[in-house]
Amino acid sequence: MLIAIENEHIKATFATKGAELQSVSGVHSSTEYLWSGDPKFWGKFSPVLFPIVGALKDNTYFYQGQAYTLPRHGFARDMEFDYRQVSEHEILFTLRHNEETLKIYPFEFRLNLRYRIFGASLCCTYEVHNPATKELLFSVGAHPAFAAPLNQQGCYSDYSLQFNKDQELVYHHIVANLISDQTSVLALHDGKLDLKHELFYDDALVLKQLQSDEITLMNSKNYNGLTFKFEGFPYFGIWAAKDADFVCLEPWCGIADAMDSNQQLATKEGIQQLAPQGNWERTWKVTFF
């Protein structure tokens, strides 16, 4: 089921499955800013990563001596969320634990995704509540894919990412979906990374020391683009499917297992710990122009 909210500047459309953002377009320009979801390359738009980010070693983790299996990026992206339209410009999606989730993830939880539009901006807030009497262990991540080129005008190499606080990117290599200790450095030119498809031929650029909290997707042919702002996310991924015309900007509170992971959830790198009856939230915002 699809639901839309709209103001005088932008229209945003969401699916109840996965609480996934499906489209953001300009009301007057009709510019579509999100990737088309072409299954030939990658059939998603902006999946929600929960309760893990990335892959587990052998798709398995251990908790209190028991083994559990979870797919890459967890299960939330494939589940139906409840929803409530809070106002004309705000919608709230909710996912709760159930008998099936408890079999593979032995935690009670409530996950909210709160989307709000104001002006030419879309704001996404993740809200996690722990209703249980024991600690909740989880990760959350974003995975929005933005079109490049916009409106199929121009080409991928017309586009670049402008970082507000970095002059180089130190990224970890991915081997068989796991994080390697091997790193490489991408030099930025005045904070700018020119996009080219081969950047992502070996999977995502996984950043553990990103200083920037604002990234602008711009192009050399016209003024259209977007500015992506995020805060409180210790990890960041940049990715595109091979030769696909999009770029994913992915703030994460969590990360895939390292190649030498001991697979223990309680000590997993990036795992979030939420006390009983506790609340947790993080927000990212994107402004379109």
Side-chain angles (χ1 to χ4, degrees):
M1 180 176 176
L2 297 179
I3 305 148
I5 51 178
E6 180 177 347
N7 64 13
E8 66 273 21
H9 298 285
I10 58 174
K11 178 180 180 180
T13 304
F14 311 89
T16 53
K17 181 180 178 181
E20 186 178 11
L21 176 65
Q22 303 261 301
S23 168
V24 181
S25 58
V27 170
H28 300 295
S29 67
S30 297
T31 297
E32 176 56 62
Y33 290 93
L34 231 60
W35 158 246
S36 65
D38 185 348
K40 176 182 175 182
F41 296 96
W42 187 58
K44 292 187 177 292
F45 306 86
S46 181
V48 176
L49 316 184
F50 178 90
I52 59 169
V53 171
L56 299 170
K57 186 176 181 180
D58 300 325
N59 291 323
T60 301
Y61 70 90
F62 294 88
Y63 177 70
Q64 295 185 342
Q66 186 169 339
Y68 298 89
T69 299
L70 278 177
R72 190 180 190 188
H73 296 320
F75 52 69
R77 62 181 180 167
D78 296 315
M79 295 188 69
E80 194 74 16
F81 280 63
D82 296 327
Y83 78 95
R84 175 169 62 91
Q85 190 150 347
V86 177
S87 70
E88 183 182 1
H89 300 138
E90 182 176 342
I91 192 162
L92 180 69
F93 292 94
T94 300
L95 180 69
R96 294 176 174 85
H97 65 277
N98 59 39
E99 289 184 4
E100 295 305 310
T101 66
L102 289 169
K103 292 176 182 177
I104 56 175
Y105 177 64
F107 297 92
E108 298 177 11
F109 68 87
R110 184 180 72 229
L111 170 66
N112 289 338
L113 265 79
R114 187 181 300 272
Y115 293 102
R116 181 169 62 94
I117 58 173
F118 53 98
S121 297
L122 168 72
C123 188
C124 174
T125 299
Y126 304 98
E127 303 169 350
V128 180
H129 173 66
N130 180 4
T133 56
K134 70 175 183 179
E135 185 177 59
L136 172 60
L137 304 178
F138 69 96
S139 292
V140 169
H143 205 314
F146 299 106
L150 296 169
N151 295 330
Q152 299 181 334
Q153 296 176 357
C155 60
Y156 200 67
S157 60
D158 294 333
Y159 285 74
S160 61
L161 298 175
Q162 180 74 49
F163 295 80
N164 70 330
K165 295 180 182 179
D166 291 274
Q167 291 304 317
E168 66 177 18
L169 302 179
V170 179
Y171 68 93
H172 284 255
H173 292 246
I174 297 178
V175 178
N177 293 330
L178 302 179
I179 306 300
S180 166
D181 287 336
Q182 181 184 358
T183 60
S184 295
V185 179
L186 280 173
L188 305 180
H189 305 286
D190 294 324
K192 186 173 74 169
L193 174 67
D194 293 326
L195 289 183
K196 48 187 178 181
H197 289 301
E198 50 266 37
L199 278 172
F200 309 110
Y201 281 0
D202 294 323
D203 214 319
L205 308 180
V206 176
L207 309 171
K208 293 188 179 185
Q209 296 96 25
L210 186 68
Q211 300 300 308
S212 294
D213 55 13
E214 180 178 307
I215 301 172
T216 299
L217 175 65
M218 60 181 66
N219 74 83
S220 59
K221 300 301 183 183
N222 59 48
Y223 180 68
N224 292 123
L226 58 91
T227 297
F228 191 84
K229 296 184 179 182
F230 50 97
E231 188 176 352
F233 295 87
Y235 306 99
F236 202 91
I238 306 173
W239 177 76
K242 187 175 181 180
D243 293 327
D245 286 339
F246 68 83
V247 61
C248 285
L249 301 179
E250 307 179 37
W252 301 331
C253 287
I255 194 169
D257 275 353
M259 296 178 67
D260 61 355
S261 169
N262 65 11
Q263 299 174 271
Q264 297 294 324
L265 188 66
T267 57
K268 176 176 168 58
E269 181 180 359
I271 202 73
Q272 306 296 301
Q273 301 171 329
L274 185 58
Q277 305 304 313
N279 295 293
W280 179 102
E281 70 175 52
R282 294 291 188 277
T283 298
W284 54 264
K285 183 180 79 169
V286 57
T287 301
F288 305 94
F289 54 86

